[in-house]
Amino acid sequence: MQRRRILVTGGAGFLGSHLCERLVARGDDVLCVDNFYTGTKDNIAHLLGTPRFELIRHDVTFPLYVEVDEIYNLACPASPIHYQYDPVQTTKTSVHGAINMLGLAKRTGARILQASTSEVYGDPTVHPQTEDYRGNVNPIGPRACYDEGKRCAETLFFDYYRQHQVRIRVARIFNTYGPRMHPNDGRVVSNFIVQALSGKPITIYGDGRQTRSFCYVDDLVDGLIRLMDADDAVTGPLNLGNPGEFTIRELAEKVLAMVGSTSGMVQLPLPEDDPLQRRPDIGKAEKLLGWGPTVPLDQGLARTIDYFRTLKSQPAIGAGG
Ligand code: NAD
Ligand code: UDP
């Protein structure tokens, strides 16, 4: 098979770095584009010496002229703390970024995959969430810059598909965790592990009865690659995530037990518009991609805890939360 030239935007981030690694290992030429807003060169440092890997510092809100066969569009801060820090830039990244990458796909004839999100369902009134559910998003709340930006990006993808026959794929990614999450990124899994390892109390927002479904990064990256490699008729949107559903308190108890920490928990206010429940229906991805998660939460958490233990033994890493 011919060696593919693959662009990964947001390639120096958590998911992007794992994706770049997998594509390089498969033998593809990978062009990683990132403005290092939340990602770091450390995440991809081990790939920099590889002739098949190239890195460009670039902001996707500006046009990019390269020749590629496939585009994975992952550029966008994903943690609520980060995407709410500069909400206007967050929407620009999703919307202008999508327009620029879709324009590139249109010119080059490349296939293009959008990293969309379970946040398009907002605080869902249908449970578990199926792809045909249209969501319950507050368009003027603090999460809207991310949720509505991602919804608009989906709209653009389907309009470029209908209007210009661009070969699109849309993945709706549910909470994913694993090594290379930033220790201060504020998301629940990294916060809890870093807090437990530092002997600090675990910060539970609200009563901790809200639920999430946690997918290990390797499973998620496998799903993204299968979706890109599927027939052009499989546009999605497809939910990708692990249907195991846990309350945030259950997650905290698990992390404390696995780390062997007695630091306990502290309750803080629930952030505005924080969804109360979330679990993917992955029937479509199972049927169309033959995909499903294989790493149970305990196993994925153990690997992630090992990663943060190693990080902690290095200097200059603070505690999250
Ligand atoms: P991340 O913050 O680690 O990675 C995002 C990357 O995008 C970073 O490297 C960042 O520097 C880069 N970036 C941000 N704005 C940019 C811009 N304007 N131009 C170029 N690069 C830019 O987050 P992640 O968890 O790896 O998420 C990757 C993608 O997957 C995001 O689009 C996110 O919305 C989506 N997603 C992730 C999850 C999850 O649980 N991890 C869930 C749903 C959707
Ligand atoms: N959360 C928490 N403590 C933390 C960080 C997050 O209780 O230190 C909760 C948060 O309120 C939400 C859930 O964990 O209900 C998942 O939060 P995260 O920011 O990881 O992702 P979200 O799914 O909300 O985008």
Side-chain angles (χ1 to χ4, degrees):
M1 198 161 100
Q2 215 188 346
R3 209 154 119 175
R4 281 176 273 188
R5 299 161 302 174
I6 304 185
L7 167 63
V8 179
T9 76
F14 160 52
L15 293 181
S17 62
H18 285 274
L19 177 61
C20 288
E21 197 174 86
R22 283 273 286 275
L23 296 171
V24 166
R26 192 174 72 169
D28 295 315
D29 282 327
V30 175
L31 175 58
C32 167
V33 161
D34 207 295
N35 69 350
F36 304 115
Y37 185 59
T38 53
T40 71
K41 273 191 202 155
D42 291 345
N43 286 339
I44 36 127
H46 59 297
L47 297 174
L48 286 172
T50 315
R52 288 197 302 276
F53 182 78
E54 201 179 341
L55 172 65
I56 301 182
R57 181 192 290 263
H58 175 80
D59 183 326
V60 294
T61 62
F62 297 96
L64 177 69
Y65 295 92
V66 290
E67 305 306 317
V68 288
D69 305 305
E70 294 177 3
I71 304 165
Y72 288 86
N73 188 36
L74 272 60
C76 187
S79 136
I81 291 181
H82 288 146
Y83 70 63
Q84 289 172 24
Y85 176 75
D86 186 349
V88 173
Q89 178 63 18
T90 298
T91 303
K92 278 189 188 168
T93 293
S94 274
V95 176
H96 294 186
I99 291 171
N100 289 328
M101 291 309 117
L102 284 160
L104 177 60
K106 183 178 160 216
R107 181 178 63 77
T108 56
R111 300 169 166 198
I112 179 166
L113 181 148
Q114 167 68 357
S116 190
T117 167
S118 52
E119 288 284 326
V120 299
Y121 302 123
D123 189 6
T125 53
V126 166
H127 195 72
Q129 290 78 59
T130 44
E131 289 87 348
D132 57 2
Y133 175 51
R134 293 184 186 178
N136 177 31
V137 172
N138 174 3
I140 58 168
R143 295 175 85 101
C145 58
Y146 183 74
D147 301 7
E148 298 289 15
K150 289 285 187 177
R151 286 172 68 96
C152 184
E154 286 200 10
T155 305
L156 285 160
F157 267 67
F158 278 86
D159 282 334
Y160 269 76
Y161 170 66
R162 283 183 291 253
Q163 196 176 334
H164 301 298
Q165 294 74 51
V166 169
R167 303 157 76 197
I168 64 157
R169 285 103 172 98
V170 174
R172 290 185 179 154
I173 303 170
F174 284 63
N175 297 62
T176 301
Y177 69 97
R180 296 202 201 118
M181 294 186 89
H182 196 283
N184 294 332
D185 118 339
R187 282 181 276 187
V188 69
V189 174
S190 45
N191 263 12
F192 285 6
I193 294 176
V194 172
Q195 288 162 347
L197 287 174
S198 321
K200 295 189 176 164
I202 288 203
T203 52
I204 304 272
Y205 300 162
D207 60 13
R209 282 189 298 177
Q210 70 271 35
T211 66
R212 292 294 186 274
S213 301
F214 300 102
C215 186
Y216 189 66
V217 60
D218 289 355
D219 282 334
L220 195 278
V221 167
D222 184 46
L224 292 179
I225 293 175
R226 279 178 194 239
L227 177 54
M228 180 64 99
D229 289 349
D231 190 274
D232 279 348
V234 185
T235 58
L238 285 190
N239 289 339
L240 293 181
N242 190 323
E245 184 180 3
F246 298 86
T247 67
I248 293 306
R249 194 168 284 275
E250 281 170 338
L251 177 72
E253 283 161 359
K254 241 181 214 307
V255 169
L256 285 174
M258 290 178 77
V259 169
S261 166
T262 52
S263 58
M265 305 180 201
V266 58
Q267 202 167 321
L268 297 177
L270 188 69
E272 194 181 333
D273 291 336
D274 198 293
L276 290 181
Q277 54 179 358
R278 184 180 288 156
R279 170 154 66 101
D281 179 320
I282 57 164
K284 262 180 116 173
E286 283 171 337
K287 183 164 164 252
L288 296 170
L289 308 179
W291 175 86
T294 59
V295 182
L297 184 59
D298 283 15
Q299 218 179 83
L301 281 180
R303 293 183 205 170
T304 313
I305 290 168
D306 281 350
Y307 167 78
F308 280 108
R309 269 193 217 283
T310 319
L311 258 196
K312 207 173 165 285
S313 59
Q314 294 165 8
I317 297 297

